[in-house]
Amino acid sequence: MSLAFSICLITLLITASIGMPIAFAMIVSAVVYLAIAGQDLALASEQLIQSVYDSFVLLAVPLFIVAANIMNAGAISDRLLEFCKAMVGRFKGGMAQVDILVSLIFSGMSGSAVADAAGVGKISIRMMLKTGHYTPGFAGAVVAASATIGPIIPPSIPMVLYALVSDASIGYLFLGGVVPGLLMTLVLMTMNSVIAHKRNIPAEEAVPLRKIPGVTLRALPALMMPVILLAGIYGGATTPTEAAAVAAAYALIVSGVFYRSLTIRSLYEVFLDSARSSASVGLVIGSALIFNYIVATENIPAALQTLLVSLDLSRAEFLIFVNLLFLALGCVLDATTIILVIIPLFLPTVRALGIDPVHFGVVAVVNCMIGLITPPYGMLLFVINGTTGIPIKAIVREGYPFLFALLIALACLTAFPGLVLGLPRLFGYEG
Amino acid sequence: MARILGVLRLGADAMAAGMLAAIFVVFLVQIIGRYVLGLSLGWTIELCLTLWLWVVFWGSAFCLRPSDHVRFDILYLSVSRPVQRVFSAVAALAIIIAFVVSYLPTLDYVDFYKIKKSSTLRIPLNYVFSVYMIFMTMIILRYSRVLIDFLRGKADVEGPITSYELIDTESAR
């Protein structure tokens, strides 16, 4: 590691910790690096411009953001909650089960955990609190934990970012996330059920059977969304990026035509809000890619590969080591930064050890999503605290059992690659 | 003055929202063109990428409020107001220096592209990339304002860095 790079890292550490926006912290430290290394100072801008302008797959990001915002604005969430309440509300801890199930369905339409927590999550927190059976901390913890499923079930913005740095196929990554997403849902529901029995959290009043067809029918246009999306991608009709546009168009039709819940005014708000999120996410992605470039110039991935291979680690040992490292980093770093800057460091080693890049990618993304709920830096904790006012401390305290459940799921996914790769192989993945 | 700025801000917001809406529409045109009409439209992809570049840097220049940025604010939120002011001022100063020293080299880089035109729409690339100069200029101006506010002794120089409507956890409203 050169002196310039060490100073660059220290600058990043200091600027980010005093609260400078992460994107600017990365730009500032990149400029420091270029200045000390005696390189052209325009290189930082050049990397930033080119990484945004050159990448067709990144276009999926703003489109997924638009789709999620339309769904949140357009009463789709309400119909889904009503449907899930009819399905699982009758069990102990029913409202929390409803939230987990709705997160699963919602995740088939949105590619962002933050969108899930801020949108449908906020509504289900309100519903849980209204029953009077859940503490605010518990409600927040359930929503935070279940929002992590969002980017695992396709579509997924983090997986698009992983595909960008690893050249793995987005289609197979998306497919690889389906079983892990279902597994996460299963462990969370089980954990919730255990807690509900222990604390004796009552069920919701069961929705009578004769009402279920009507509720399902009302939610059907929304429920069809994941089907259309996946059929589009795997039927070969659309690329994943185009699927993002189709998803947004479908959400628009469902909320505008079927549910009649969108006005021109609210549509403008959706686009403005999405433009803001896209700009802030795009800026972070672009500046993380400057860092990616610097790290590559410094030859760090290759050096790390030599080091790790010389340690003679087995695949299992390597995966355990990387998982622990990512979990630790997830406590202090933003998921986008981990995926774009830290993961590429290990990709040469992943290849050298013969680990499947799709398996590694899905495991790494699940790991990073767990990082969204681990303090002190957990984006989902911030969003839920920000949208509901529930103290982060309370969410964290009630969150441990769910964190534990997700870690078990992560361990299973790491140990049994078949859970991730089974479905992609069915669709012709040779890996 | 404040009113003019307000109108300009509304205009900048409308432009960002409009560009994003345009990406969405152009994408749909591309999909319909390819799968329904059997046309391969080369210009749609380039237009989308250009608009995406503009949404990111135009949005970052004009539309992002302090609360829209991704940041690590644990330390910032845990210190007292006077220390927060110093943090904001130091951060602003660092950003200004980094952007100012790389401003002219970047201008050179963008200007260099006047000799190259984009592949299908034939727009000179220096026009396409010029949004980055707008972004750099606005960021320098914006953080200079933070620094000036700090020097004048204004209490809250950064503005609120979180902005959400809270729900009342007691009444669940």
Side-chain angles (χ1 to χ4, degrees):
Chain A
M1 200 175 356
S2 68
L3 174 72
F5 188 60
S6 317
I7 297 179
C8 163
L9 283 184
I10 295 170
T11 314
L12 178 67
L13 216 64
I14 296 175
T15 49
S17 57
I18 60 172
M20 186 189 285
I22 287 177
F24 291 137
M26 287 193 280
I27 296 174
V28 168
S29 28
V31 171
V32 167
Y33 172 82
L34 295 171
I36 298 176
Q39 297 192 41
D40 182 1
L41 292 181
L43 265 176
S45 317
E46 187 183 332
Q47 286 298 319
L48 187 48
I49 296 172
Q50 295 294 349
S51 59
V52 176
Y53 185 60
D54 275 354
S55 171
F56 180 67
V57 291
L58 279 186
L59 275 176
V61 173
L63 294 170
F64 282 142
I65 292 176
V66 170
N69 280 342
I70 291 176
M71 284 182 293
N72 279 331
I76 292 183
S77 322
D78 300 338
R79 320 278 159 135
L80 281 180
L81 277 165
E82 197 190 351
F83 170 74
C84 292
K85 204 170 158 189
M87 293 291 121
V88 294
R90 62 187 72 232
F91 301 113
K92 276 213 161 185
M95 257 339 276
Q97 302 291 33
V98 167
D99 169 69
I100 299 171
L101 187 62
V102 89
S103 289
L104 174 69
I105 299 174
F106 206 78
S107 70
M109 321 181 197
S110 117
S112 142
V114 168
D116 292 11
V120 74
K122 184 177 177 178
I123 306 173
S124 50
I125 286 181
R126 195 174 280 154
M127 287 169 73
M128 275 187 259
L129 294 181
K130 254 186 207 156
T131 64
H133 305 309
Y134 302 87
T135 62
F138 185 80
V142 172
V143 167
S146 63
T148 60
I149 303 168
I152 307 303
I153 299 269
S156 162
I157 291 175
M159 292 214 197
V160 169
L161 299 181
Y162 175 78
L164 184 72
V165 291
S166 69
D167 286 327
S169 137
I170 301 184
Y172 289 133
L173 280 167
F174 276 11
L175 270 182
V178 174
V179 174
L182 294 173
L183 179 68
M184 287 160 80
T185 312
L186 183 73
V187 293
L188 288 178
M189 284 187 137
T190 311
M191 183 53 81
N192 178 48
S193 174
V194 170
I195 298 174
H197 277 93
K198 217 163 98 187
R199 295 190 189 172
N200 204 13
I201 303 176
E204 299 307 305
E205 200 179 324
V207 175
L209 277 179
R210 62 186 159 77
K211 279 197 177 164
I212 288 183
V215 170
T216 312
L217 201 64
R218 270 199 296 282
L220 196 63
L223 290 173
M224 285 304 289
M225 173 96 141
V227 179
I228 292 174
L229 210 62
L230 290 181
I233 298 177
Y234 300 107
T238 56
T239 64
T241 315
E242 288 171 347
V246 174
Y250 184 72
L252 195 62
I253 293 169
V254 169
S255 3
V257 178
F258 284 97
Y259 297 156
R260 295 174 186 275
S261 55
L262 268 186
T263 58
I264 296 289
R265 178 84 222 161
S266 61
L267 197 60
Y268 174 77
E269 289 297 326
V270 162
F271 275 108
L272 178 56
D273 218 38
S274 307
R276 283 204 180 105
S277 309
S278 303
S280 115
V281 171
L283 198 61
V284 173
I285 293 174
S287 23
L289 289 172
I290 309 179
F291 242 77
N292 188 321
Y293 163 83
I294 293 178
V295 166
T297 326
E298 289 277 315
N299 239 342
I300 292 174
L304 208 60
Q305 180 198 348
T306 318
L307 175 73
L308 288 171
V309 170
S310 75
L311 288 178
D312 216 12
L313 290 177
S314 69
R315 282 185 206 182
E317 285 165 334
F318 171 76
L319 284 173
I320 292 171
F321 161 72
V322 177
N323 264 318
L324 292 176
L325 179 75
F326 289 174
L327 283 172
L329 288 174
C331 298
V332 289
L333 287 180
D334 165 56
T336 309
T337 317
I338 298 184
I339 295 173
L340 293 178
V341 183
I342 310 291
I343 287 183
L345 300 180
F346 293 97
L347 287 173
T349 316
V350 167
R351 284 184 207 112
L353 290 176
I355 296 169
D356 185 273
V358 170
H359 176 229
F360 181 73
V362 172
V363 167
V365 171
V366 170
N367 191 313
C368 290
M369 293 309 109
I370 295 177
L372 296 178
I373 58 168
T374 48
Y377 190 86
M379 190 55 94
L380 286 173
L381 302 175
F382 301 156
V383 170
I384 293 169
N385 168 257
T387 51
T388 64
I390 300 173
I392 290 183
K393 249 189 218 156
I395 305 174
V396 171
R397 203 175 44 231
E398 294 275 25
Y400 284 114
F402 296 108
L403 180 62
F404 175 70
L406 289 174
L407 288 175
I408 288 178
L410 177 66
C412 293
L413 296 173
T414 311
F416 307 108
L419 288 173
V420 175
L421 296 174
L423 203 55
R425 281 178 185 146
L426 266 185
F427 281 79
Y429 178 62
E430 293 162 5
Chain B
M1 183 66 186
R3 219 169 126 185
I4 298 173
L5 279 179
V7 171
L8 285 177
R9 180 164 300 143
L10 279 181
D13 281 354
M15 169 118 172
M19 287 191 295
L20 189 60
I23 293 180
F24 177 50
V25 171
V26 172
F27 239 96
L28 292 180
V29 168
Q30 173 187 321
I31 294 168
I32 293 168
R34 173 154 354 135
Y35 300 108
V36 182
L37 307 174
L39 302 170
S40 178
L41 305 172
W43 58 271
T44 49
I45 291 178
E46 191 192 305
L47 184 56
C48 281
L49 283 170
T50 307
L51 285 167
W52 163 233
L53 184 81
W54 274 71
V55 165
V56 171
F57 293 114
W58 181 273
S60 300
F62 298 107
C63 311
L64 290 189
R65 298 154 299 192
S67 58
D68 292 321
H69 279 291
V70 181
R71 64 174 95 218
F72 187 84
D73 51 11
I74 307 257
L75 187 64
Y76 182 88
L77 291 176
S78 66
V79 296
S80 66
R81 220 340 114 68
V83 183
Q84 283 185 348
R85 291 183 69 237
V86 177
F87 278 10
S88 298
V90 171
L93 187 65
I95 293 171
I96 295 169
I97 294 173
F99 276 63
V100 166
V101 296
S102 56
Y103 195 88
L104 287 180
T106 305
L107 188 62
D108 255 2
Y109 166 77
V110 170
D111 187 53
F112 167 77
Y113 272 96
K114 65 177 176 247
I115 56 167
K116 207 175 162 208
K117 286 188 177 150
S118 67
S119 49
T120 50
L121 295 174
R122 313 303 296 162
I123 309 170
L125 282 175
N126 60 334
Y127 291 154
V128 174
F129 295 166
S130 64
V131 67
Y132 193 79
M133 298 319 297
I134 301 177
F135 162 72
M136 285 188 97
T137 312
M138 283 310 297
I139 295 304
I140 293 172
L141 289 177
R142 176 169 287 198
Y143 283 97
S144 301
R145 169 92 184 266
V146 171
L147 208 56
I148 292 169
D149 281 349
F150 172 77
L151 293 174
R152 282 188 179 162
K154 194 176 163 198
D156 181 9
V157 292
E158 178 84 22
I161 61 171
T162 49
S163 76
Y164 291 106
E165 293 167 54
L166 299 187
I167 59 176
D168 183 355
T169 50
E170 294 298 315
S171 66
R173 242 174 260 190

